[in-house]
Amino acid sequence: QVHFVESGGGLVQPGGSLRLSCVAFGFTLDYYEIMWLRQAPGKEREGVSCIGTSDAKKHYVDSVKGRFTIARDNAKNTVFLQMNSLKPEDTAVYYCATGTYFSCTKTFNNYGLEYWGNGTVVTVSS
């Protein structure tokens, strides 16, 4: 079955760091562009960062630029999201997603997202 498993979330104090992992099962990640999304309580889901099939293309939503870094390790079929200088407003459930027709763009268009994980919870609080 094609799906992702996200991990690495948890409770962290403001200013802290977390590294999220997203492992793909049932398919090879090499030819897919990937997006990390998040959904905060009471808010709509939003794209946070996305990466192309190589490290040459990466995009970040303005609110996380300079703090988050997306990376991929195709040998491990995994995409990472390094999150530094975390703020309470980063509290959310974080998901990774992709699809055959998904393209990573700076507008974070959701078109083509068909494979998802169950998410990992990030809570930033003192």
Side-chain angles (χ1 to χ4, degrees):
Q1 185 177 2
V2 175
H3 65 285
F4 286 112
V5 175
E6 301 96 337
S7 63
L11 173 63
V12 63
Q13 292 187 341
S17 298
L18 286 172
R19 188 193 194 206
L20 306 185
S21 298
C22 167
V23 182
F25 291 91
F27 68 110
T28 301
L29 213 49
D30 298 33
Y31 306 110
Y32 289 84
E33 304 193 353
I34 312 297
M35 184 153 71
W36 280 99
L37 306 94
R38 67 185 178 186
Q39 187 164 21
K43 295 188 177 181
E44 291 188 358
R45 191 161 51 200
E46 65 168 346
V48 175
S49 180
C50 63
I51 187 168
T53 54
S54 73
D55 284 348
K57 180 168 70 169
K58 299 180 182 180
H59 296 297
Y60 301 92
V61 69
D62 286 346
S63 60
V64 308
K65 281 180 180 176
R67 300 189 297 122
F68 290 12
T69 303
I70 192 170
R72 62 191 300 154
D73 185 339
N74 289 342
K76 296 182 179 179
N77 227 28
T78 301
V79 177
F80 302 98
L81 187 67
Q82 178 67 42
M83 306 188 298
N84 299 329
S85 302
L86 282 161
K87 304 176 180 180
E89 50 264 43
D90 295 317
T91 295
V93 181
Y94 284 72
Y95 304 88
C96 56
T98 190
T100 304
Y101 300 106
F102 170 69
S103 179
C104 169
T105 67
K106 59 183 65 177
T107 61
F108 297 99
N109 192 326
N110 286 354
Y111 175 77
L113 291 176
E114 54 183 322
Y115 306 139
W116 292 80
N118 288 327
T120 185
V121 179
V122 172
T123 303
V124 184
S125 175
S126 54

